Every structure is written in structure tokens, then in C-alpha cells.
Coordinates of all heavy atoms in Angstrom, one line a residue:
V221 N 0.8 -1.2 0.0 CA 0.0 0.0 0.0 C 0.8 1.3 0.0 O 0.3 2.4 -0.2 CB -1.0 0.0 1.2 CG1 -1.8 -1.2 1.2 CG2 -0.2 0.2 2.5
K222 N 2.1 1.1 0.2 CA 3.0 2.3 0.2 C 2.9 3.1 -1.0 O 2.9 2.6 -2.1 CB 4.4 1.9 0.4 CG 5.4 3.0 0.8 CD 6.8 2.4 1.2 CE 7.7 3.6 1.7 NZ 9.0 3.0 2.1
G223 N 2.7 4.4 -0.8 CA 2.6 5.3 -2.0 C 1.1 5.6 -2.3 O 0.8 6.5 -3.1
R224 N 0.2 4.7 -1.9 CA -1.2 4.9 -2.2 C -2.0 5.2 -0.9 O -3.0 5.9 -1.0 CB -1.7 3.6 -2.8 CG -1.1 3.2 -4.1 CD -1.8 2.0 -4.7 NE -1.7 0.8 -3.9 CZ -2.8 0.2 -3.4 NH1 -4.0 0.6 -3.7 NH2 -2.7 -0.9 -2.7
F225 N -1.6 4.7 0.2 CA -2.3 4.9 1.5 C -1.6 5.9 2.4 O -0.3 5.9 2.4 CB -2.6 3.6 2.2 CG -3.5 2.6 1.6 CD1 -4.0 2.8 0.3 CD2 -3.9 1.5 2.3 CE1 -4.9 1.9 -0.3 CE2 -4.8 0.6 1.7 CZ -5.3 0.8 0.4
T226 N -2.3 6.7 3.1 CA -1.7 7.6 4.1 C -2.4 7.6 5.4 O -3.6 7.7 5.4 CB -1.7 9.0 3.5 OG1 -1.1 9.1 2.2 CG2 -1.0 10.0 4.4
I227 N -1.7 7.4 6.5 CA -2.2 7.4 7.8 C -2.0 8.7 8.5 O -0.9 9.3 8.4 CB -1.6 6.3 8.7 CG1 -2.0 4.9 8.1 CG2 -2.2 6.4 10.1 CD1 -1.4 3.8 8.8
T228 N -3.0 9.3 9.1 CA -2.9 10.5 9.8 C -3.6 10.4 11.2 O -4.4 9.4 11.3 CB -3.4 11.7 9.1 OG1 -4.8 11.5 8.7 CG2 -2.6 12.0 7.8
R229 N -3.4 11.3 12.1 CA -4.1 11.2 13.3 C -4.4 12.6 13.8 O -3.7 13.6 13.5 CB -3.3 10.4 14.4 CG -2.4 11.2 15.3 CD -1.2 11.7 14.6 NE -0.1 12.0 15.6 CZ 0.7 13.0 15.4 NH1 0.7 13.7 14.2 NH2 1.7 13.2 16.3
D230 N -5.4 12.7 14.7 CA -5.8 13.9 15.4 C -5.8 13.6 16.8 O -6.7 13.0 17.4 CB -7.2 14.4 14.9 CG -7.5 15.8 15.4 OD1 -7.0 16.1 16.5 OD2 -8.3 16.5 14.8
N231 N -4.7 14.0 17.5 CA -4.5 13.6 18.9 C -5.7 14.2 19.8 O -6.1 13.5 20.7 CB -3.2 14.1 19.4 CG -2.0 13.5 18.7 OD1 -1.9 13.7 17.5 ND2 -1.2 12.8 19.4
A232 N -6.1 15.4 19.5 CA -7.1 16.0 20.3 C -8.5 15.3 20.2 O -9.3 15.3 21.1 CB -7.3 17.5 19.9
K233 N -8.7 14.7 19.0 CA -10.0 14.0 18.8 C -9.8 12.5 19.0 O -10.8 11.7 18.8 CB -10.5 14.2 17.4 CG -10.8 15.7 17.1 CD -11.4 15.9 15.7 CE -11.8 17.3 15.5 NZ -12.3 17.5 14.1
N234 N -8.6 12.0 19.4 CA -8.4 10.6 19.6 C -8.8 9.8 18.4 O -9.5 8.7 18.5 CB -9.1 10.1 20.9 CG -8.5 10.6 22.2 OD1 -7.3 11.0 22.2 ND2 -9.3 10.7 23.2
S235 N -8.4 10.3 17.3 CA -8.8 9.6 16.0 C -7.7 9.4 15.1 O -6.7 10.2 15.1 CB -9.9 10.5 15.3 OG -11.1 10.6 16.1
V236 N -7.8 8.4 14.3 CA -6.8 8.1 13.3 C -7.5 7.8 12.0 O -8.6 7.3 12.0 CB -5.9 6.8 13.7 CG1 -6.8 5.6 13.8 CG2 -4.8 6.7 12.8
Y237 N -6.8 8.2 10.9 CA -7.5 8.1 9.6 C -6.6 7.3 8.6 O -5.4 7.3 8.7 CB -7.7 9.5 9.1 CG -8.4 10.4 10.0 CD1 -7.7 11.2 10.9 CD2 -9.8 10.4 10.1 CE1 -8.4 12.0 11.8 CE2 -10.5 11.2 11.0 CZ -9.8 12.0 11.9 OH -10.4 12.8 12.8
L238 N -7.3 6.7 7.7 CA -6.6 6.0 6.6 C -7.1 6.5 5.3 O -8.2 6.2 4.9 CB -6.8 4.5 6.7 CG -6.1 3.7 5.6 CD1 -4.5 3.8 5.8 CD2 -6.5 2.2 5.7
Q239 N -6.3 7.3 4.6 CA -6.6 7.8 3.3 C -6.1 6.8 2.3 O -5.0 6.5 2.2 CB -6.0 9.2 3.0 CG -6.3 9.8 1.7 CD -7.7 10.1 1.4 OE1 -8.4 10.7 2.3 NE2 -8.2 9.8 0.2
M240 N -7.1 6.3 1.5 CA -6.7 5.3 0.5 C -7.0 5.8 -0.9 O -8.1 6.2 -1.3 CB -7.6 4.0 0.7 CG -7.4 3.4 2.1 SD -8.3 1.9 2.3 CE -10.0 2.5 2.2
D241 N -5.9 5.9 -1.7 CA -6.0 6.5 -3.0 C -5.6 5.4 -4.0 O -4.9 4.4 -3.7 CB -5.1 7.7 -3.2 CG -5.5 8.8 -2.3 OD1 -6.7 9.1 -2.2 OD2 -4.6 9.5 -1.8
N242 N -6.0 5.6 -5.3 CA -5.7 4.6 -6.3 C -6.0 3.2 -5.9 O -5.2 2.3 -6.0 CB -4.2 4.7 -6.7 CG -3.9 4.0 -8.0 OD1 -4.8 3.7 -8.8 ND2 -2.7 3.6 -8.2
L243 N -7.2 3.0 -5.4 CA -7.6 1.7 -4.9 C -7.6 0.6 -6.0 O -7.9 0.9 -7.1 CB -9.0 1.8 -4.2 CG -8.9 2.4 -2.8 CD1 -10.3 2.9 -2.4 CD2 -8.4 1.4 -1.8
K244 N -7.3 -0.6 -5.6 CA -7.3 -1.7 -6.4 C -8.2 -2.8 -5.9 O -8.5 -2.9 -4.7 CB -5.8 -2.3 -6.5 CG -4.8 -1.3 -7.0 CD -3.4 -1.9 -6.9 CE -2.3 -0.9 -7.3 NZ -1.0 -1.5 -7.3
P245 N -8.7 -3.7 -6.8 CA -9.6 -4.7 -6.3 C -9.0 -5.6 -5.2 O -9.7 -6.0 -4.3 CB -9.8 -5.6 -7.6 CG -9.7 -4.6 -8.7 CD -8.6 -3.7 -8.3
E246 N -7.7 -5.8 -5.2 CA -7.0 -6.5 -4.2 C -7.0 -5.8 -2.8 O -6.6 -6.4 -1.8 CB -5.6 -6.9 -4.6 CG -4.8 -5.8 -5.1 CD -4.8 -5.7 -6.6 OE1 -5.8 -5.8 -7.2 OE2 -3.7 -5.5 -7.2
D247 N -7.4 -4.6 -2.8 CA -7.6 -3.9 -1.5 C -8.9 -4.2 -0.8 O -9.1 -3.8 0.3 CB -7.5 -2.4 -1.7 CG -6.1 -1.9 -2.2 OD1 -5.1 -2.4 -1.7 OD2 -6.1 -1.0 -3.1
T248 N -9.7 -4.9 -1.5 CA -11.0 -5.3 -0.9 C -10.8 -6.2 0.3 O -10.1 -7.2 0.3 CB -11.9 -6.1 -1.9 OG1 -12.2 -5.3 -3.0 CG2 -13.1 -6.6 -1.3
A249 N -11.4 -5.7 1.4 CA -11.2 -6.4 2.7 C -12.0 -5.7 3.8 O -12.5 -4.6 3.6 CB -9.7 -6.4 3.1
V250 N -12.0 -6.3 4.9 CA -12.5 -5.6 6.1 C -11.3 -5.0 6.8 O -10.3 -5.6 7.1 CB -13.2 -6.6 7.1 CG1 -13.6 -5.9 8.4 CG2 -14.4 -7.3 6.5
Y251 N -11.4 -3.7 7.0 CA -10.3 -2.9 7.6 C -10.6 -2.7 9.1 O -11.6 -2.3 9.5 CB -10.2 -1.6 6.9 CG -9.5 -1.7 5.5 CD1 -10.2 -2.3 4.5 CD2 -8.2 -1.3 5.3 CE1 -9.6 -2.5 3.2 CE2 -7.6 -1.4 4.1 CZ -8.3 -2.1 3.1 OH -7.6 -2.2 1.8
Y252 N -9.5 -3.0 9.9 CA -9.6 -2.8 11.3 C -8.6 -1.8 11.8 O -7.5 -1.7 11.4 CB -9.3 -4.2 12.0 CG -10.2 -5.3 11.7 CD1 -10.0 -6.1 10.6 CD2 -11.4 -5.5 12.4 CE1 -10.9 -7.2 10.3 CE2 -12.3 -6.5 12.1 CZ -12.0 -7.4 11.0 OH -12.9 -8.4 10.7
C253 N -9.1 -1.1 12.8 CA -8.2 -0.1 13.5 C -7.8 -0.8 14.8 O -8.5 -1.5 15.4 CB -9.0 1.1 13.9 SG -8.1 2.4 14.9
A254 N -6.5 -0.6 15.2 CA -6.0 -1.2 16.4 C -5.1 -0.2 17.2 O -4.5 0.7 16.6 CB -5.2 -2.4 16.0
S255 N -5.0 -0.4 18.5 CA -4.2 0.4 19.4 C -3.4 -0.4 20.3 O -3.8 -1.4 20.8 CB -5.2 1.3 20.2 OG -4.4 2.0 21.2
G256 N -2.1 0.0 20.4 CA -1.2 -0.7 21.3 C -0.3 0.2 22.0 O -0.1 1.4 21.6
N257 N 0.3 -0.2 23.1 CA 1.1 0.6 24.0 C 2.6 0.3 23.8 O 3.4 0.6 24.7 CB 0.7 0.4 25.4 CG -0.7 1.1 25.7 OD1 -1.0 2.1 25.1 ND2 -1.4 0.4 26.5
S258 N 3.0 -0.3 22.7 CA 4.4 -0.6 22.5 C 4.8 -0.2 21.1 O 4.0 -0.1 20.2 CB 4.7 -2.1 22.7 OG 6.0 -2.4 22.3
G259 N 6.1 0.1 20.9 CA 6.6 0.5 19.6 C 7.3 -0.6 18.9 O 7.7 -0.5 17.8
T260 N 7.4 -1.8 19.6 CA 8.0 -2.9 19.1 C 7.1 -3.8 18.2 O 6.0 -4.0 18.6 CB 8.6 -3.8 20.2 OG1 9.4 -3.0 21.1 CG2 9.4 -5.0 19.7
Y261 N 7.6 -4.2 17.1 CA 6.8 -5.1 16.2 C 5.4 -4.5 15.9 O 4.4 -5.1 16.0 CB 6.7 -6.5 16.8 CG 8.0 -7.1 17.0 CD1 8.4 -7.5 18.3 CD2 8.8 -7.4 16.0 CE1 9.6 -8.1 18.5 CE2 10.1 -8.1 16.2 CZ 10.5 -8.4 17.5 OH 11.7 -9.0 17.7
Y262 N 5.4 -3.3 15.4 CA 4.2 -2.5 15.1 C 3.4 -3.2 14.0 O 2.2 -2.9 13.8 CB 4.5 -1.1 14.7 CG 5.5 -1.0 13.5 CD1 5.0 -1.1 12.2 CD2 6.9 -0.9 13.7 CE1 5.9 -1.0 11.2 CE2 7.8 -0.8 12.7 CZ 7.3 -0.9 11.4 OH 8.2 -0.8 10.3
Y263 N 4.1 -4.1 13.2 CA 3.4 -4.7 12.1 C 2.8 -6.1 12.5 O 2.2 -6.8 11.6 CB 4.4 -4.9 11.0 CG 5.7 -5.5 11.4 CD1 5.9 -6.9 11.5 CD2 6.8 -4.7 11.7 CE1 7.1 -7.5 11.9 CE2 8.0 -5.3 12.2 CZ 8.1 -6.6 12.3 OH 9.3 -7.2 12.7
E264 N 2.9 -6.4 13.8 CA 2.3 -7.7 14.2 C 1.0 -7.5 15.0 O 1.0 -6.7 16.0 CB 3.3 -8.4 15.1 CG 4.6 -8.8 14.4 CD 4.4 -10.0 13.4 OE1 3.3 -10.6 13.5 OE2 5.3 -10.3 12.6

């Protein structure tokens, strides 16, 4: 998704956003938001 998707956040609103551009059929999925208290293995 690199180059097509952009993540931003609004700390005051406790919100995070996922801007998805140039979408492809393979992007079809259920998308989940997650929160963690560690910076290790952020991709897991």
C-alpha cells in the first residue's frame, strides 16, 4: 500500500485516519483499527 495509502491522526480527537488512493480490487477487505502501547513489532 506504500505510496497509495496515508495514515494521519488527530490527537485532540483521539482519532486516526486512513486515506486510500488509487484503490485496487485486491484492496477489498474488512479494515480494522488497532491500538497498542508498545513500539516494538508494530506490524504484528
Side-chain angles (χ1 to χ4, degrees):
V221 306
K222 192 173 184 179
R224 299 188 298 120
F225 290 10
T226 304
I227 298 176
T228 57
R229 93 289 198 212
D230 188 330
N231 301 61
K233 295 182 179 180
N234 290 336
S235 298
V236 64
Y237 309 93
L238 180 66
Q239 177 67 42
M240 304 183 291
D241 297 320
N242 191 24
L243 283 161
K244 303 175 180 180
E246 49 263 45
D247 294 319
T248 296
V250 176
Y251 283 71
Y252 298 91
C253 176
S255 175
N257 291 323
S258 175
T260 306
Y261 301 115
Y262 56 86
Y263 49 86
E264 296 288 347

